[in-house]
Amino acid sequence: MNLEFKVEGGDFTLAGNASSQIKKMLKQLNVDPRIVKRVVIALYEAEVNIVAHAYRGVIYAEIDPRGVRLKLEDEGPGIPDINQAMTPGFSTASAQVREMGFGAGMGLPNISENADEFKIESEVGKGTTLFINFKF
Amino acid sequence: MNVKEVAERLSLNVFSAPEGLDREVAGGYSSDLLSDVMGHAQEGQIWITLQTHKNIMAVASLKDLAAIILVKGFVPDQDTLELSAKEGIPVLGTKMQAFELSGKLYEMLK
């Protein structure tokens, strides 16, 4: 099964909608609740990253008997130093985003901790793509 | 113990989703960082926070939390109330600050 969701940058009112839809789908497919929990944490963080940092993005989710594969492709500023971005506590989020309780530098580490495979590709000035995989 | 008993024993305001008061409470989690709650809160916990915007409902729903308690007299935003009603996850409130409320809830649930 393949799902696709558009995400608008800067629109926090809709942040989490795609994660919620995919969570419902995984539950309907009777995926192990422990895996659903991990997918939801990683996906929500990645979705919020698009909202907080990019102009727009698309989430692709592929679910089959082997597992869940997520690809989050955004048009945005890109990440100049991926290792630095992965450091817990490091954040480039705006003051406004931080006041909402986002941007604490926990997003990418949360994704990494919950995924079976996690890869970031980024080009400064163009955008970032995340590949997040879970095995059943 | 369910959310209703917690609300009664701590004299909490019920802002929204009274139909969710029978949700079972497995514990509590106190934090104002959404990623912290996302990464570390557990299903069925009550979330204690001062954040009032609607993203707290998205997190509560994704994590299957029992309810949210707003501290220090904070009130939820209008769209938070709407999403709370839609998800059936109550938002409660108290004048207590997070330390005091967390301590009382911890004593009740331990």
Side-chain angles (χ1 to χ4, degrees):
Chain A
M1 175 177 297
N2 292 295
L3 304 166
E4 193 178 317
F5 298 90
K6 288 190 165 59
V7 181
E8 279 303 309
D11 187 0
F12 274 95
T13 63
L14 295 174
N17 273 16
S19 303
S20 178
Q21 298 295 321
I22 292 171
K23 179 189 174 192
K24 276 183 201 143
M25 194 59 69
L26 294 172
K27 279 180 134 179
Q28 276 173 21
L29 293 168
N30 282 320
V31 172
D32 180 343
R34 287 168 300 181
I35 293 177
V36 175
K37 285 187 170 76
R38 287 165 49 212
V39 172
V40 163
I41 293 170
L43 178 58
Y44 180 75
E45 295 291 359
E47 186 179 352
V48 165
N49 275 347
I50 296 178
V51 177
H53 298 287
Y55 315 130
R56 66 193 65 81
V58 184
I59 299 176
Y60 304 91
E62 202 181 316
I63 307 160
D64 66 22
R66 289 174 299 151
V68 179
R69 282 171 302 285
L70 305 173
K71 183 170 94 167
L72 297 95
E73 202 171 23
D74 76 45
E75 295 168 43
I79 304 171
D81 184 340
I82 291 174
N83 280 333
Q84 189 182 35
M86 285 295 299
T87 309
F90 177 82
S91 176
T92 57
S94 68
Q96 189 194 358
V97 167
R98 286 170 200 256
E99 267 174 29
M100 293 174 79
F102 293 113
M106 303 170 85
L108 293 178
N110 265 356
I111 297 173
S112 180
E113 275 166 31
N114 284 284
D116 289 316
E117 291 169 347
F118 177 34
K119 193 172 74 171
I120 304 177
E121 288 174 0
S122 190
E123 197 176 324
V124 173
K126 203 167 169 207
T128 300
T129 303
L130 267 54
F131 301 87
I132 311 171
N133 298 336
F134 304 85
K135 291 173 187 153
F136 290 158
Chain B
M1 190 177 301
N2 63 25
V3 176
K4 186 167 193 255
E5 282 179 81
V6 170
E8 282 173 358
R9 286 177 59 182
L10 297 172
S11 307
L12 306 175
N13 293 329
V14 179
F15 288 120
S16 55
E19 72 277 14
L21 290 174
D22 59 353
R23 295 167 76 88
E24 204 54 36
V25 178
Y29 200 81
S30 305
S31 181
D32 301 319
L33 296 177
L34 275 68
S35 283
D36 178 35
V37 178
M38 208 53 221
H40 302 286
Q42 301 294 320
E43 182 175 343
Q45 289 181 333
I46 282 192
W47 176 15
I48 296 172
T49 185
L50 50 66
Q51 299 288 354
T52 60
H53 54 86
K54 77 179 268 198
N55 294 276
I56 60 174
M57 292 315 309
V59 170
S61 166
L62 287 167
K63 296 294 287 186
D64 298 309
L65 302 180
I68 297 173
I69 307 177
L70 304 183
V71 295
K72 290 172 69 176
F74 280 89
V75 296
D77 298 355
Q78 185 57 38
D79 52 5
T80 304
L81 291 173
E82 285 159 17
L83 195 51
S84 162
K86 192 176 150 216
E87 299 285 350
I89 301 175
V91 178
L92 313 170
T94 178
K95 290 216 157 40
M96 282 183 267
Q97 47 111 323
F99 179 76
E100 189 182 356
L101 178 67
S102 301
K104 288 191 173 166
L105 187 61
Y106 181 83
E107 282 300 317
M108 277 171 60
L109 295 174
K110 78 174 182 188

